[in-house]
Amino acid sequence: MEMISYEMEAVMVVEAKVKGFICTTAHPEGCKESVRRQIAYCKQKGTTDGPKKVLVIGASTGYGLASRIAVTYGYGADTIGVSFEKESNGRRTATAGWYNTKAFEEFATADGYSAKSFNGDGFSQEMKAQVIEEIKKEWGKADMVVYSLAAPRRTLPDGTSVSSVLKTIGNEFKNKTIDLRTNEIKEVTVPVANEEEIQNTVSVMGGEDWQAWIDALAEAGVLADNAVTLAYSYIGPELTHAIYKDGTIGQAKKHLYDTSVALTKKYADRGLQAYISVNKALVTQSSSAIPVVPLYISLLYKVMKEEGLHEGCIEQMQRLFVEKLPQREVDGQSMFRLDDWEMKDCVQSKIADLWTKVTSENIKEISDIDGYWEDFYQMFGFHFDNVDYAADVEI
């Protein structure tokens, strides 16, 4: 687990190869274009005063990558990013996160910012130790920690490996979903989790590792006084509560929230402020795997675009870091609500109406399934109108 380095591997034409809810290839030039566009958006929106030494754990895709870009170009911050990505073996492409990180480092360095990246298991003690040494050497102290690590499994400190599950609690749940292989509307039954599965999901997706990172940084003396730390969550509408808010993921997110409260209390003498940001539902590598949610997102996109309220990851994170965080614009539970536009009554009532009407035959007309797929492909560097996908690229 060393700082990311890049070597010339091979040249080929790269095509998108999709299996279910994952793309097994990534386009280096497309990923670079995605990062370039996100940076351009933040540059256009302007800057404000904020933390200058920011650690982002889970920094290579989705909200984590957008966070790293937003603090760099919104605050003028130097960053350290932690992620777990695969490099190319010369025959297959690297993962999208690998190319995103490479592109971000290139752009940020050219613009005068320090951007260093570590590739490896963010849950591990070894990774924590390496990052702490880097902070000691380069910064002295970090004044913000963004925790955006999303993984299906975790190796615990005792060496045990546990996995998260997408299940309900109490009663099984039946509802509509979309089969991403065919764009067909089908009924899905989400099974009930047992107690062990609930606890394992909390261990993977809850606040245990966030707490471990903050404790390690504090004990090593590399956490600045009055530092800020954030982790990300989702609540969503009643439509998805059985899976999300009230399911195994919901238990993990409740633990994440309780951790934010506990961290603020534990480090009150140092002035640490720990927050949860409740973000909007978007196409990410995580959300694509959750039953019901991709169909909900395709309807959400349709309505929010018609209302002029649609945001992607970078728009959300720019709004969080440049508008909401400096003003500490939180709700009654001290959470930032970036889902505020998604949860507007005018949006949710329209989605509820469309939900009763959507079928395999009319999904193209009454949802934005094309927009869903556009975002999906762009996560992996495809479907950008100014990238030549017929050309050979260095992978």
Side-chain angles (χ1 to χ4, degrees), residues 43-55:
K43 284 182 173 180
Q44 178 253 323
K45 296 295 285 187
T47 62
T48 190
D49 189 39
K52 296 296 188 284
K53 308 295 180 186
V54 180
L55 169 63

Side-chain angles (χ1 to χ4, degrees), residues 42 46-50 69-77 322:
C42 288
T47 62
T48 190
D49 189 39
I69 294 169
V71 297
T72 299
Y73 291 92
Y75 295 157
V322 177

Side-chain angles (χ1 to χ4, degrees), residues 3 36 73 119 130 151 184 194 232 247 251 257 300 313 346:
M3 291 180 65
R36 187 195 68 76
Y73 291 92
N119 192 52
Q130 287 192 28
E184 288 182 288
N194 61 39
Y232 298 142
Q251 291 302 301
Y257 172 75
L300 177 72
C313 287
C346 64

Side-chain angles (χ1 to χ4, degrees), residues 187-203:
E187 183 177 82
V188 64
T189 300
V190 183
V192 179
N194 61 39
E195 191 59 35
E196 182 181 5
E197 289 173 322
I198 295 169
Q199 290 307 313
N200 287 348
T201 303
V202 171
S203 291

Side-chain angles (χ1 to χ4, degrees), residues 5-54:
S5 61
Y6 308 100
E7 297 178 2
M8 301 294 279
E9 292 277 4
V11 174
M12 64 175 68
V13 173
V14 178
E15 298 177 343
K17 296 179 180 178
V18 177
K19 293 181 179 179
F21 55 83
I22 197 73
C23 186
T24 61
T25 54
H27 198 283
E29 289 302 314
C31 290
K32 186 173 184 178
E33 175 61 15
S34 173
V35 172
R36 187 195 68 76
R37 291 186 184 194
Q38 291 181 69
I39 289 172
Y41 177 81
C42 288
K43 284 182 173 180
Q44 178 253 323
K45 296 295 285 187
T47 62
T48 190
D49 189 39
K52 296 296 188 284
K53 308 295 180 186
V54 180

Side-chain angles (χ1 to χ4, degrees), residues 118-130:
F118 288 83
N119 192 52
D121 183 3
F123 291 125
S124 72
Q125 294 303 114
E126 184 183 356
M127 178 57 77
K128 293 176 176 69
Q130 287 192 28

